[in-house]
Amino acid sequence: ALNPKNVYLNKFHIGNTKKIGFIQFDLINGKIIEVINNERVPYFHLFQENNIINYHRDQAIIWLQSRVKGDTIWESSLSENIGYKDFQGYHKGEIDATYIFKNQIIVLAKVYVIGLDISNGSILWQTKLDFKPYHLAINGHTGYLLKNHHYAVIDLSNGQIEFEKKLEPIKIQGQQL
């Protein structure tokens, strides 16, 4: 079965299988075009030109892999940088999602948003929020982060928070939202 995190490019389906690694599948002809084996089963996410951006959620490792040769170009462990403490105690960090923004990989890691240099995996900036965002929407150089009643706007070129707020619940037709 294919991992639910898949990417569709034109007439090709690109996904991660647990048995044979990454595949490129021609949707029109119904044939596997390319197989890239990978010994570790990553949480596959994005394609960037001829490379694949992979991450392992629980181990907080992210790496760039050549789609052509299959070798690792760089690997970065974020585990030392993304641990956090809340009312339930200390938590080791986990990678929740990745996005591409210009020459950066934007990483959502619980309460952190991190900008990595796509060429070498080094941390360009790191910002801590007061909440754990579910999603990042990108418009220009601005990122919009949201979780329930929490909302933040961040400049993705430098990681500066432009706006962060916990919105008050509202009532519509007697129902609290």
Side-chain angles (χ1 to χ4, degrees):
L2 291 175
N3 186 313
K5 295 198 180 230
N6 298 313
V7 176
Y8 295 86
L9 299 174
N10 300 325
K11 65 177 186 163
F12 301 109
H13 167 79
I14 300 172
N16 181 14
T17 66
K18 292 185 179 184
K19 293 186 180 178
I20 61 173
F22 298 104
I23 63 167
Q24 181 178 16
F25 189 79
D26 186 325
L27 293 172
I28 294 171
N29 298 319
K31 295 180 181 176
I32 293 176
I33 307 280
E34 177 182 7
V35 176
I36 302 171
N37 287 318
N38 192 340
E39 291 179 16
R40 35 184 183 182
V41 179
Y43 288 80
F44 160 74
H45 191 68
L46 296 171
F47 273 78
Q48 182 264 336
E49 296 176 12
N50 289 322
N51 300 316
I52 304 168
I53 299 166
N54 305 288
Y55 65 92
H56 194 289
R57 176 187 169 94
D58 300 339
Q59 294 178 11
I61 297 171
I62 185 166
W63 67 99
L64 188 69
Q65 179 181 11
S66 169
R67 203 173 133 223
V68 178
K69 297 178 183 176
D71 58 335
T72 299
I73 297 168
W74 57 257
E75 179 176 303
S76 182
S77 174
L78 300 177
S79 60
E80 296 293 320
N81 302 44
I82 59 175
Y84 66 97
K85 199 180 215 180
D86 66 11
F87 67 94
Q88 295 175 326
Y90 183 80
H91 304 276
K92 67 177 188 149
E94 295 176 345
I95 297 174
D96 294 317
T98 58
Y99 302 84
I100 294 177
F101 168 72
K102 296 188 178 183
N103 61 345
Q104 296 179 48
I105 300 170
I106 306 299
V107 179
L108 298 186
K110 299 300 178 205
V111 296
Y112 291 100
V113 182
I114 303 167
L116 299 178
D117 185 326
I118 203 162
S119 67
N120 60 22
S122 64
I123 295 175
L124 298 170
W125 54 264
Q126 179 172 334
T127 302
K128 188 174 182 183
L129 300 168
D130 291 333
F131 66 100
K132 303 174 206 168
Y134 286 143
H135 183 69
L136 170 68
I138 299 173
N139 183 16
H141 67 88
T142 304
Y144 301 90
L145 300 149
L146 180 68
K147 178 182 180 184
N148 301 334
H149 300 297
H150 294 272
Y151 178 73
V153 178
I154 186 170
D155 183 337
L156 295 175
S157 59
N158 58 22
Q160 295 287 24
I161 297 290
E162 295 177 357
F163 179 80
E164 184 173 2
K165 182 167 178 79
K166 181 176 180 182
L167 304 172
E168 296 300 320
I170 60 171
K171 284 188 176 184
I172 297 178
Q173 297 179 354
Q175 298 279 340
Q176 184 170 318
L177 302 177

